[in-house]
Amino acid sequence: MMFNRPLLFTRLFIMLWCVLVSAVALADIPTQVIQGSSVKLEKFQMGYFVDKTEKMLFSDVQKQEFQLSPNGVSLGTTSRMTWAKIEIENANTTPIKVYLHHPYAYHNHKVELYEVVNGTLTRERVLDMDRKETQQWMYRGSAVFDITLEPNQRKTLFVKSQSFSHQWFTLNLYDEDQSKRALLGLYTDIALLVGMLLALIIYNFLLFFSSRLREHFFYACYLVAGGFWVALSYGLLADLFNVYGSITLKWHLSLVAMPIFLLLFMINIFETKKKYPIEHWALLSILTLLICDFVYGLFDMITALNYSSTLAAIMMVVSISVTISMLIRKHPIAPFFLLGHGLFAIFSTMAVLFYKGKAEFTYINSHGVGIGIMLEALVLSLIIAYRIRSLETMKAAQDELKLLASTDSLTQLFNRRHFNTEAEYLLQQAKQLQQPAAIAMLDIDHFKKVNDTHGHSFGDKVIIQVANTLMAECRQQDVLARYGGEEFIILMTNTSIGEAFNLVEQIRQELAKATVILNNTQSVNFTISAGIAAIDLENPILKNSINQADKALYQAKENGRNQSLVYKV
C-alpha cells in the first residue's frame, strides 16, 4: 500500500495546529494583578462562554470552559446569553475599590455581576434595563459596578450579558478617579457626529421648504433616520435621557428607515422613473423588501433586525450597481454618489461583520455605520450643492430666454408683446388704487427720408439714440417699449395727464437738441412727434388708450411735427 507522504504530513500539521489553537483558546485566564492605587485596565485578557440554552444556572456556568479572549468581544446574533470571566487580585496590603465598566450596557436587556472568592459566591447584582428599581448601577448609559478587594485577595468576576439580538460588549476596570474620567468623555465623539448631522438636516429641510424639491425632503429624512440611529445605537440618547431596554427596541427601525429614504433619494436625483426603467425596477424591488421588513419590525423587532443585516448587504449591492450603471451612462451626479455611497458601504460592511461576530472589536468596526453615514452625508452634500447650482444655472438661462423673448434686440427696450402684457396688469392695479395713469406714443419725424438719404445703418443709430434718451429721461415706474419700426410707447403710472405731458415734452426737446454722427465730418439732427392720452380709470382698456394716444400723435404730425399733443375728446 502506497502512502502519500505530503498529504499525510499536511493532515498531521492541521491536526496539531487545531490542538494548539484549542489549547490556547481554553488556556487559563490570566489574573489582573493590581498594585498601587491607580487602576486603568482597558486592554487585558478574559474568558467568555456562550449559554446557547439561555437557561443555565450560575452554579453550572462556573463549571464550563471559558474561551480566552480580549476584554472586548463581538459574537453576533447566536450568542444572546454570554458570560465573561475576569480574574483580579489585589497585591496591596490595604483594601482597594475598583469599578467594573460595561460602557455598552444601554443596548442590552440585562447585565449581571457575580463575585466569587475561593469558589464561593460572595456578592451578586442584577441590572435589568426594564426594571427601574435595578438601574442604580446605570450611569450615562454605562453599567458601573463597584468591587471591593481586601488585602492580597483574589476574586473571580462573572459578568452575564443578555442582549436583545446582537451580542457585543467590552469590560474595563478603573479606580474611582479613572472611572469618573471615563464617564465624562464617553459620548463626546457621538455628540459631535450627531451635531453635524443635525446641521445638515436643518439645512436640507430649509432647502425643501424653499424649493419644494422632493430630493431635499428624502435626503433630510435619511439624515434624520441616520442621526437618530447613531444617537440611539451609540448611547447618546441613553446618556442624555436615560432611556434603554425594551422601550428602545422598536426605535432601531430607524436603521431600516435610513436605506428606504436613501433609495427614494436615488430615484429622484437619477430620475430613474423617466429615463432608466431597469435601474428603477431594481431600486423599487429592494425598496419594497425594506418597507416589508420595516412593517414586520412593528410586530417582531428582533426578527426584523436579524434580517436587516442581510437586506442592508443586498441594498448596498443593488444601489452601488445602479450607481455604476449611471457612471457608465456618464450621469454627472454618479461619481459623487459612488464616492459617498462607496464609503458608506465599506464602513457599514466592517460594522456588519463586527455585529455578526466576524470582525474584531475596534472603534472603527463598532462605529462603522456612524462613520459611514457621516462620510456619505458630507459627500452627498456635494450632490445637493451641484443640483442647486444646476437649477440656478437653468433658472438663469430661462430668465435670459424670457428676457430675450420680451426685449427688442436693437434698443434693449421691451417689445410690443411684453409691453401689452405688463401694461394690462398695471392698468388693473391703477384701477384698484384709483391712481391716474397716461400713455404716450412717440414717432420719429420723416424717418423714411432719413433711411433713404443716409441708409438703414444710420437709421438704426437714430432709433438707438431715441431709446437711450427715453431710458435716461423716464422714471423707474414708467414702462418703455419699441412699439413698431420707428414708434415708441410709454406707460406712466401714478401720473396725471399734465405730468405726463411735461415728461414727454422734455424728452422731445432733448431729442431735438441731440445729434447723430454720420461720419467724422458730418452730424445729423432729427425730431419726434408725440401723442398723449389719459387712462380712463373706470374702464381701463389698453387698446382704447393706445388708439387715443395714436390719434393725438397723428394730429401732432398734421400740425407740422416736432411737437407733443394731448388727446382731447
Side-chain angles (χ1 to χ4, degrees):
M1 184 176 180
M2 298 295 293
F3 290 96
N4 189 331
R5 289 185 179 182
L7 180 61
L8 180 62
F9 285 139
T10 301
R11 288 178 176 176
L12 288 173
F13 177 77
I14 291 173
M15 291 174 63
L16 180 60
W17 176 255
C18 291
V19 171
L20 288 172
V21 169
S22 177
V24 170
L26 299 175
D28 290 339
I29 298 168
T31 301
Q32 306 306 312
V33 180
I34 298 173
Q35 293 180 330
S37 58
S38 179
V39 181
K40 186 180 181 181
L41 295 174
E42 294 178 330
K43 289 186 179 181
F44 57 88
Q45 292 289 301
M46 68 175 192
Y48 75 86
F49 165 73
V50 178
D51 176 11
K52 298 292 185 180
T53 68
E54 301 185 11
K55 297 178 181 179
M56 198 173 288
L57 299 175
F58 174 66
S59 57
D60 295 324
V61 171
Q62 285 181 282
K63 303 172 186 177
Q64 304 303 315
E65 294 286 349
F66 279 72
Q67 184 94 12
L68 191 64
S69 75
N71 60 310
V73 294
S74 178
L75 305 172
T77 58
T78 59
S79 307
R80 294 197 303 174
M81 189 78 77
T82 299
W83 292 81
K85 183 179 181 181
I86 302 172
E87 299 283 356
I88 58 174
E89 181 180 349
N90 179 16
N92 298 300
T93 57
T94 56
I96 189 172
K97 182 177 283 189
V98 296
Y99 295 86
L100 176 73
H101 281 222
H102 187 316
Y104 305 107
Y106 55 83
H107 79 88
N108 282 67
H109 183 196
K110 286 183 181 180
V111 176
E112 301 177 16
L113 174 62
Y114 297 82
E115 299 179 24
V116 176
V117 179
N118 298 325
T120 303
L121 178 63
T122 59
R123 189 181 181 189
E124 66 177 278
R125 280 163 279 186
V126 178
L127 171 57
D128 188 335
M129 304 303 166
D130 293 333
R131 294 173 57 195
K132 197 165 185 177
E133 63 272 17
T134 70
Q135 294 174 8
Q136 56 183 302
W137 296 291
M138 282 295 286
Y139 298 91
R140 303 186 63 185
S142 297
V144 180
F145 300 102
D146 61 292
I147 300 163
T148 301
L149 291 166
E150 298 299 329
N152 301 311
Q153 187 182 49
R154 177 171 178 169
K155 277 189 178 181
T156 303
L157 307 178
F158 290 89
V159 181
K160 177 183 175 183
S161 180
Q162 183 177 346
S163 70
F164 289 105
S165 57
H166 298 75
Q167 181 67 265
W168 53 280
F169 62 88
T170 186
L171 300 172
N172 300 318
L173 288 165
Y174 302 107
D175 59 46
E176 184 175 356
D177 181 61
Q178 292 295 338
S179 174
K180 292 176 180 177
R181 291 176 183 272
L183 290 172
L184 284 175
L186 197 56
Y187 302 109
T188 304
D189 54 340
I190 307 304
L192 179 62
L193 196 66
V194 172
M196 293 173 68
L197 290 173
L198 182 61
L200 288 172
I201 289 167
I202 295 171
Y203 175 65
N204 279 277
F205 271 125
L206 290 175
L207 286 177
F208 169 70
F209 291 132
S210 62
S211 67
R212 296 297 175 182
L213 293 175
R214 286 182 295 177
E215 62 202 49
H216 295 307
F217 176 76
F218 291 138
Y219 184 52
C221 290
Y222 160 72
L223 292 173
V224 169
F228 183 82
W229 186 84
V230 167
L232 174 67
S233 185
Y234 299 143
L236 188 61
L237 291 181
D239 174 29
L240 296 176
F241 305 109
N242 291 322
V243 288
Y244 23 73
S246 300
I247 191 174
T248 65
L249 194 57
K250 288 194 185 305
W251 296 358
H252 284 278
L253 281 173
S254 55
L255 183 62
V256 184
M258 187 171 61
I260 290 175
F261 287 115
L262 184 63
L263 290 173
L264 290 170
F265 177 70
M266 287 184 68
I267 289 171
N268 273 266
I269 62 168
F270 288 130
E271 300 177 291
T272 57
K273 186 176 181 180
K274 296 179 181 178
K275 301 179 180 178
Y276 312 105
I278 296 175
E279 288 82 355
H280 186 67
W281 178 88
L283 292 176
L284 278 182
S285 298
I286 187 63
L287 180 63
T288 302
L289 291 175
L290 287 167
I291 292 173
C292 290
D293 190 50
F294 183 90
V295 174
Y296 190 83
L298 296 174
F299 305 97
D300 185 355
M301 186 61 208
I302 293 175
T303 304
L305 282 177
N306 290 338
Y307 288 140
S308 64
S309 297
T310 304
L311 285 175
I314 297 172
M315 177 264 181
M316 289 178 195
V317 172
V318 171
S319 56
I320 289 177
S321 299
V322 169
T323 308
I324 292 173
S325 174
M326 295 294 104
L327 189 66
I328 293 172
R329 295 168 186 267
K330 296 183 178 180
H331 197 290
I333 292 174
F336 297 107
F337 196 90
L338 184 61
L339 174 62
H341 199 49
L343 290 171
F344 173 76
I346 290 170
F347 283 96
S348 294
T349 299
M350 295 166 65
V352 168
L353 292 174
F354 166 75
Y355 290 134
K356 286 184 172 291
K358 300 183 184 301
E360 62 181 1
F361 200 121
T362 64
Y363 182 88
I364 292 179
N365 287 342
S366 63
H367 292 71
V369 175
I371 295 171
I373 291 171
M374 189 68 252
L375 291 175
E376 183 174 43
L378 292 174
V379 176
L380 293 190
S381 295
L382 297 177
I383 294 179
I384 297 295
Y386 176 85
R387 293 277 289 179
I388 292 172
R389 185 176 178 183
S390 297
L391 290 172
E392 287 177 346
T393 303
M394 188 183 302
K395 186 178 182 300
Q398 290 173 345
D399 290 342
E400 186 176 354
L401 287 173
K402 288 179 181 178
L403 184 62
L404 289 173
S406 63
T407 304
D408 173 60
S409 59
L410 179 63
T411 63
Q412 303 306 308
L413 295 178
F414 289 133
N415 58 26
R416 182 172 185 163
R417 183 176 63 179
H418 183 78
F419 175 85
N420 289 339
T421 303
E422 187 74 10
E424 289 282 6
Y425 169 75
L426 292 174
L427 289 183
Q428 292 302 318
Q429 192 176 60
K431 179 181 178 181
Q432 292 176 358
L433 299 175
Q434 285 297 296
Q435 291 178 344
I439 279 183
M441 294 288 294
L442 299 86
D443 186 83
I444 302 172
D445 296 330
H446 302 295
F447 186 70
K448 185 177 184 302
K449 184 178 179 181
V450 171
N451 272 338
D452 292 343
T453 305
H454 304 294
H456 288 279
S457 178
F458 182 80
D460 288 345
K461 289 183 180 181
V462 173
I463 290 173
I464 292 171
Q465 178 64 49
V466 175
N468 290 339
T469 302
L470 286 173
M471 286 188 285
E473 298 296 329
C474 286
R475 304 159 302 177
Q476 189 174 2
Q477 69 199 60
D478 301 327
V479 181
L480 317 176
R482 183 184 178 191
Y483 210 64
E486 70 274 17
E487 275 190 322
F488 297 84
I489 191 168
I490 309 172
L491 172 63
M492 295 161 278
T493 58
N494 197 19
T495 305
S496 66
I497 191 66
E499 292 172 331
F501 176 80
N502 291 337
L503 177 61
V504 173
E505 185 63 13
Q506 181 179 339
I507 293 169
R508 185 193 65 77
Q509 292 174 9
E510 287 293 325
L511 287 171
K513 294 185 290 185
T515 57
V516 179
I517 304 300
L518 178 61
N519 50 48
N520 292 333
T521 60
Q522 188 179 3
S523 61
V524 176
N525 294 86
F526 65 94
T527 61
I528 67 166
S529 299
I532 309 155
I535 302 295
D536 181 7
L537 293 180
E538 297 301 322
N539 191 22
I541 299 175
L542 179 63
K543 184 178 179 181
N544 292 345
S545 300
I546 292 175
N547 287 338
Q548 291 172 358
D550 198 45
K551 287 178 181 178
L553 171 62
Y554 179 79
Q555 188 63 45
K557 286 183 175 290
E558 285 290 312
N559 291 350
R561 294 182 171 83
N562 191 23
Q563 58 185 280
S564 303
L565 288 180
V566 175
Y567 174 78
K568 295 180 180 179
V569 181

